Amino acid sequence: MKQIITSLLETDMYKLSMGQAIYHLYPGYKTTWSFKCRNKDVHFTEEMVEEIKKQIRAYCNLHFTPDELEYIDKIKWVKGSYVDFLERWQPRFDDFTINTDAECGLSIETRGTWLNTSMYEIPVLAIVNEVYFRMAYDYAELIASFRERTDKKIQALISGEYKIGRFSEFGLRRRLSAEAQEYVVAELVKHNPEYVDSLCVGTSNVYLAKKFGITPVGTMAHEWLMCVGQGDHRHNPAYSNWYALNAWVKEYGILNGTALTDAITTDVFLKDFQLTFATLFTGVRHDSGDPFLWGDKMIRHYESLEIDPKTKTLLFSDSLNFERAHELNAYFRDRANVAFGIGTYLSNDTIVPALNIVMKTTACNGMDVAKISDTPGKGMCKNPAYIEYLQRCIDWRLQND
């Protein structure tokens, strides 16, 4: 099989956003990441596992090129010290443990500095997806169905059947293949002038953003709130959001500011997202729970702080398709700025179901970390006792603070 990841820019933008802040504020933090396949009917063969190892080893031989570093350096919030670090940075295959010791037939764990292990998540998931779909199915049949479905979606935007406003492609981690993601991004951008009340403004894939001259989109992920908030034993984890948002502002000020609300539930997030943070951050991102209830809650919160919600962005990114984005845009567009990050629906819609795979932080500095989102079951932690402890901390704060 050809090499799948051919550039270190083939990662989601928020990895670079978090990477710079990790480099400057938490260079000594160490993390453990664990792979999980949530599809109960999927099994990775030994041949697939060997190919995945081969692909990850090839990825670990990559460096950022001068042209790629120049591109990163032009992003307005990127600092020269981080670009200098990336010039020397390379993935370490020794950080990986890959074997067949899992129910699905594939176990992947990474251990090392947060600076390193954070960068592995997205390329690893892209590799696992492409190896699986190329080896388990007739790939030519899959890519043909993918192109056909993509073309129909674009026609639905052109006809005005769906009017979704501003949206970005967020599908790298669960894409069918590099070929498929490049096709969908190229087609979405090419047809931008023809859409009725829709506009593809960017992609989370930095490599494709550079290639097609569009915006690389992404700020922070759950790992940021989990590691900053829970990776120091002196912190009460119910205050994870305050520690994480405060550190983000220390690094970026008013730049690069979309806050993720559901690491330990949105209700706890709002305890800390008071006037200063709500003013400094340009918006908030939804990633679990009912998006309509969440959006109403965020608008009420901004109004309670006497902030005009129309000056803030509600970014929706949880399991979206065009139909749901159309409904959300119609509901919220006159009350706030609305944007969408659409992933698997754009990058892996074929005649077979997409994989539901994740690579999550399970420990930071030798301590358990976890998320308790607005949707039960989306978290991932190896220690049930820690989940119970975190939930008790959350309950106490909601009842007493």
Side-chain angles (χ1 to χ4, degrees), residues 223-273:
E223 66 175 277
W224 177 256
L225 297 112
M226 291 161 60
C227 292
V228 174
Q230 302 170 39
D232 185 331
H233 70 275
R234 296 170 297 180
H235 294 171
N236 180 333
Y239 293 82
S240 295
N241 292 298
W242 186 90
Y243 289 110
L245 296 178
N246 190 61
W248 198 265
V249 170
K250 182 178 179 180
E251 178 65 24
Y252 290 115
I254 63 172
L255 298 176
N256 201 25
T258 301
L260 182 58
T261 69
D262 70 332
I264 53 171
T265 75
T266 296
D267 287 340
V268 177
F269 171 85
L270 293 179
K271 292 278 189 180
D272 292 315
F273 198 63

Side-chain angles (χ1 to χ4, degrees), residues 165-194:
R166 295 180 300 124
F167 70 98
S168 298
E169 186 277 331
F170 271 24
L172 174 52
R173 69 178 61 216
R174 291 179 182 160
R175 69 188 185 186
L176 171 65
S177 64
E179 175 190 8
Q181 190 183 21
E182 182 164 333
Y183 178 80
V184 72
V185 171
E187 290 299 302
L188 287 170
V189 172
K190 180 175 71 175
H191 291 284
N192 257 333
E194 303 170 59

